[in-house]
Amino acid sequence: MSQQEEFRPANMALCIFAISLGVFMQVLDTTIANVALPTIAGNMGVSFNQGTWVITSFTVCLAIGLPITSWLSRRFGEVQLYVAALLSFIITSFLCGISQNMAEMVFFRALQGLSAAPLFPMSQVLLMSIFPRAKRGMALALIGMVAVVGPIVGPILGGWLTYNYSWPWIFFINIPVGIFSIVVISAQFKNRPQQKTKPKLDVIGLASMALGVGALQIVLDKGNDLDWFANNWIIGGAVFAAIMLTFMVIWELTDDHPAINLRLFLNRNFCIGTILLTLGYGGFFSLNLILPQWLQTQMGYTALWAGLAAAPMGVLPLLMSPFLGKFGSRLDMRWLAGGSFVVIGISCYWRTLFNLEVDFTTIALIQLFMGIGIGLFFMPMTTILMADLNGPDIADGASLSTFIRTLGASFSSSLTAWIWARNSSAHHSVLSENISQYNPIVSPQLQNPSTASLMSFNETVTSQGLMLSTIDLFMMLTVLFFVLTPFVFFTKKAASGH
């Protein structure tokens, strides 16, 4: 056992709390802007689709920053990197809060995403290093619980701050929390042995990855506005992204010191586990993005009440996580992960039955039920994909799986906004065709139509079109989660204590 693995902080509970807060901030900021998005977009005079850049700029830069995390941790030390990332995250949060226009906001959110990149993988490494090997499951359960709580608290906190104060406070709230974490972690890990090396930085691999991922994100975000492949810029961007990403894969597989250790995909559990984690998290992220927007734009909810409607999904994961951490080693993680997909799939199917008359209680109860699936998702899936990794591969695996999962969330955000808008327009066109003097239901109102009555018809059609588009998304997510379920059993059995 290495000196790092033998190290125990003076105050274990306080140390765990401080590390968890760092992760919590990163996960929180992935979702806290969701409910504030209509307000931010409105205040800055941009559309909802343009406003989604507040989300995607953060997540795509978070993903781009992840591959360099492993190199930075070896070069400067895990603790030093974590503290530096927290400090940078605080500064960029402040800059986001004082942004005056959408260009500034997107730029500072991108910097905030880069700053946040090391927080999640390094928290995994630090927590697993202070827990005995036999209790790694507890460390993963703690991280899983924090990963679940962030998206739950995010909408409520974001809604409350936006409703009662102003949207900049969703960023300013990070400052005191971050300072507390920095002070505690610096003190508690002061005597932890550091194993610093001077590994070679794979500049070519990182550059090709950043260019490829960035170009692909722009294609996904701008495709709908520019009529996709009817536009030369979209065609050029897609071709460029494909070339860069293909080059990156070839380079990383042949380089002696790759920034992204793609060879980990030769491990069956890591490969299948990471793919399932990414697709499952992408679906979860899509749901978290669309539900608050629908509640606010179509159901008349305030940001606070939209957050409260989404919040119940966090209740059961909070109660389940300690038990999973303690007794998980006795269970087959594959059954837990498979169960999570089934439960989330059922909850998505129930949402396809929604209409514009659905009440708060129904929405909240379905969110509560989905919490069972969320509670069974993160810890078992992380355990499965990390089961066979040891030594430096743990840090590489944590960074790589988080990179791909975050990238999946970023792409999911863009695709969700595009599908929602596209299907809404399609449904609007179909519904409009039924408003004519030949339709006995509406013909009496069309005998002597007034401007007010025509506007009322259009508002009704628009609202119903958005409702049908929302149901389409819920059905797509239902199919996704049910299709993913059997693939969990293609992995080898892994217990959390191993």
Side-chain angles (χ1 to χ4, degrees):
M1 183 181 288
S2 68
Q3 288 182 313
Q4 282 189 340
E5 290 179 326
E6 290 177 344
F7 173 81
R8 298 290 178 269
N11 191 323
M12 190 79 162
L14 184 63
C15 189
I16 292 169
F17 180 65
I19 294 173
S20 300
L21 277 180
V23 186
F24 178 72
M25 284 198 303
Q26 185 254 293
V27 178
L28 182 75
D29 269 60
T30 308
T31 58
I32 194 170
N34 287 2
V35 292
L37 203 55
T39 304
I40 296 172
N43 286 357
M44 294 187 171
V46 299
S47 68
F48 170 73
N49 278 352
Q50 291 172 309
T52 56
W53 273 89
V54 174
I55 310 294
T56 54
S57 61
F58 177 86
T59 50
V60 75
C61 287
L62 173 62
I64 288 172
L66 282 164
I68 201 174
T69 295
S70 181
W71 180 87
L72 289 171
S73 68
R74 290 175 179 147
R75 180 68 178 81
F76 300 103
E78 293 156 353
V79 177
Q80 287 85 342
L81 173 59
Y82 196 69
V83 170
L86 283 171
L87 181 60
S88 181
F89 190 77
I90 292 170
I91 295 169
T92 50
S93 295
F94 174 75
L95 293 172
C96 287
I98 62 172
S99 298
Q100 298 299 307
N101 54 59
M102 186 53 69
E104 288 183 7
M105 169 63 79
V106 170
F107 178 69
F108 292 136
R109 277 285 280 178
L111 293 180
Q112 189 189 35
L114 288 172
S115 303
L119 295 180
F120 195 91
M122 284 303 99
S123 69
Q124 285 182 301
V125 173
L126 291 178
L127 274 181
M128 290 176 76
S129 73
I130 62 176
F131 275 83
R133 185 174 178 82
K135 294 185 177 179
R136 277 185 179 178
M138 182 63 76
L140 291 173
L142 283 168
I143 292 293
M145 184 168 64
V146 174
V148 168
V149 172
I152 285 54
V153 175
I156 300 176
L157 187 59
W160 182 76
L161 290 170
T162 303
Y163 185 74
N164 290 288
Y165 298 95
S166 59
W167 65 260
W169 282 97
I170 67 176
F171 301 111
F172 294 154
I173 195 71
N174 291 328
I175 297 171
V177 177
I179 291 172
F180 172 81
S181 294
I182 288 172
V183 171
V184 172
I185 291 169
S186 298
Q188 291 294 316
F189 281 94
K190 183 173 59 176
N191 298 319
R192 182 177 185 261
Q194 296 293 318
Q195 296 177 350
K196 298 178 185 178
T197 60
K198 293 186 178 180
K200 179 185 175 184
L201 178 60
D202 179 18
V203 178
I204 294 176
L206 287 170
S208 59
M209 179 273 298
L211 290 170
V213 169
L216 182 57
Q217 186 66 54
I218 292 171
V219 167
L220 290 172
D221 274 334
K222 290 295 183 184
N224 197 43
D225 295 338
L226 300 177
D227 197 23
W228 290 101
F229 294 103
N231 183 279
N232 290 333
W233 285 103
I234 295 298
I235 295 172
V239 171
F240 179 77
I243 292 171
M244 284 294 101
L245 292 175
T246 302
F247 174 80
M248 180 206 71
V249 171
I250 296 170
W251 180 271
E252 296 299 87
L253 288 174
T254 55
D255 190 61
D256 293 333
H257 305 282
I260 306 171
N261 187 4
L262 296 178
R263 294 182 184 89
L264 289 175
F265 281 104
L266 295 174
N267 181 294
R268 187 171 82 187
N269 270 32
F270 181 83
C271 180
I272 298 174
T274 300
I275 292 170
L276 294 177
L277 179 69
T278 301
L279 293 174
Y281 186 74
F284 173 60
F285 196 86
S286 174
L287 192 59
N288 268 353
L289 177 66
I290 204 66
L291 191 65
Q293 307 308 321
W294 172 66
L295 290 174
Q296 290 179 79
T297 58
Q298 297 305 303
M299 301 296 288
Y301 283 52
T302 63
L304 175 59
W305 279 100
L308 289 172
M313 71 175 172
V315 175
L316 295 176
L318 278 176
L319 299 175
M320 292 163 62
S321 290
F323 292 98
L324 284 173
K326 187 172 183 179
F327 301 110
S329 59
R330 306 175 190 177
L331 304 171
D332 187 338
M333 294 289 115
R334 297 174 299 176
W335 284 101
L336 297 181
S340 77
F341 289 138
V342 171
V343 170
I344 299 173
I346 291 171
S347 73
C348 289
Y349 173 73
W350 283 342
R351 291 188 189 91
T352 65
L353 306 177
F354 281 179
N355 56 46
L356 293 172
E357 304 299 321
V358 67
D359 58 23
F360 177 91
T361 303
T362 302
I363 296 168
L365 285 175
I366 292 176
Q367 290 291 103
L368 181 68
F369 173 76
M370 188 177 76
I372 300 172
I374 301 302
L376 295 173
F377 177 65
F378 286 98
M379 182 268 195
M381 283 309 309
T382 306
T383 302
I384 288 170
L385 70 90
M386 300 281 279
D388 297 333
L389 304 184
N390 294 287
D393 284 348
I394 294 175
D396 286 348
S399 296
L400 181 54
S401 64
T402 309
F403 163 66
I404 296 174
R405 173 174 62 83
T406 307
L407 207 56
S410 180
F411 293 161
S412 172
S413 173
S414 298
L415 289 171
T416 299
W418 169 60
I419 292 169
W420 202 37
R422 186 201 64 176
N423 285 10
S424 175
S425 298
H427 286 301
H428 187 283
S429 297
V430 173
L431 291 171
S432 297
E433 293 171 0
N434 294 308
I435 299 178
S436 73
Q437 58 184 344
Y438 303 108
N439 186 332
I441 298 175
V442 297
S443 59
Q445 290 94 322
L446 294 176
Q447 296 302 321
N448 295 296
S450 64
T451 303
S453 65
L454 291 175
M455 290 180 65
S456 176
F457 273 127
N458 185 62
E459 288 175 6
T460 301
V461 169
T462 300
S463 181
Q464 291 294 339
L466 276 168
M467 182 71 253
L468 290 171
S469 180
T470 306
I471 291 172
D472 289 343
L473 275 168
F474 290 150
M475 182 54 74
M476 289 177 192
L477 293 173
T478 302
V479 173
L480 170 69
F481 284 107
F482 282 132
V483 167
L484 292 180
T485 304
F487 287 95
V488 175
F489 297 94
F490 282 78
T491 62
K492 293 185 292 183
K493 181 178 179 180
S496 64
H498 292 174

